[in-house]
Amino acid sequence: RLLEQTGYEALTTNHVARRAGVGVASVYEFFPSKHALVAAVIDQTVESVLLELTADLEDALAHGRDPVAEWIGKMFRVIGKRKRLFSVLVYEVPFFWQTPSVLAARARLHTLTVRARALSGATDAPHMEAMTYLMPIMVAHAVLDSVVRPPKGLESSALESALIDAVKRLVE
């Protein structure tokens, strides 16, 4: 919550200790620096998001629902619930994209995309392997930017629908 309220630059371990009602030495016992503390927040947030996305996509695949619409719709909702936190993490934390959990998330999203592609039978499209690699990256970035920094005059639902349509056209 402090990270959301103050932003990355203003956050200090002293603020965290005060909010937690402990001495700063107690914070340093578990987190040797602000960097380590924020990295733990990133890890927890990314894992939480991936658990939600994976469960919903698996359910959509198992029940024959449109995996593209389910996946993108869920991404909009999951990121939307944590909009302020993602705003700080993505646009203020200088090491966000290099954290092991974010790098691992890319790999997990790729695995889900491969599974969805296999179940859909879409294997003949040109550049299918490259598209399977790029698609989760492009979609994740499009959703993050659309939710965290939405353009004026465009509703979230319009952005979501447009992204779903674009992805479907690419994979057909």
Side-chain angles (χ1 to χ4, degrees):
R1 286 186 223 132
L2 278 173
L3 192 57
E4 291 176 11
Q5 293 167 359
T6 66
Y8 177 73
E9 285 299 320
L11 181 75
T12 68
T13 51
N14 284 328
H15 293 133
V16 172
R18 245 188 326 274
R19 177 67 64 93
V22 298
V24 73
S26 296
V27 173
Y28 282 119
E29 192 174 326
F30 296 97
F31 304 102
S33 65
K34 176 172 97 169
H35 179 104
L37 184 62
V38 173
V41 171
I42 292 169
D43 290 345
Q44 182 182 20
T45 303
V46 168
E47 186 59 32
S48 172
V49 165
L50 285 175
L51 284 173
E52 286 185 59
L53 289 175
T54 302
D56 277 22
L57 185 57
E58 291 290 342
D59 187 59
L61 293 171
H63 293 95
R65 294 192 312 271
D66 181 354
V68 172
E70 293 282 329
W71 179 46
I72 292 172
K74 184 64 174 191
M75 287 181 81
F76 268 87
R77 290 187 301 280
V78 167
I79 301 300
K81 285 192 309 191
R82 301 163 177 89
K83 180 179 178 175
R84 177 64 185 138
L85 179 59
F86 271 103
S87 178
V88 172
L89 295 178
V90 172
Y91 297 109
E92 295 181 30
V93 177
F95 56 89
F96 176 79
W97 295 107
Q98 288 76 43
T99 58
S101 58
V102 171
L103 295 172
R106 283 179 66 174
R108 284 172 67 182
L109 289 174
H110 178 261
T111 300
L112 287 171
T113 305
V114 168
R115 184 160 184 278
R117 183 188 83 188
L119 288 173
S120 73
T123 57
D124 301 0
H127 313 292
M128 184 53 77
E129 291 301 318
M131 284 176 48
T132 302
Y133 169 77
L134 291 170
M135 195 62 60
I137 296 168
M138 292 182 334
V139 169
H141 283 272
V143 171
L144 276 169
D145 204 63
S146 294
V147 171
V148 173
R149 300 189 307 190
K152 289 188 188 279
L154 284 176
E155 296 291 325
S156 179
S157 59
L159 294 166
E160 182 180 325
S161 294
L163 185 56
I164 291 167
D165 289 346
V167 170
K168 285 182 176 183
R169 286 182 197 163
L170 284 172
V171 297
E172 289 176 347

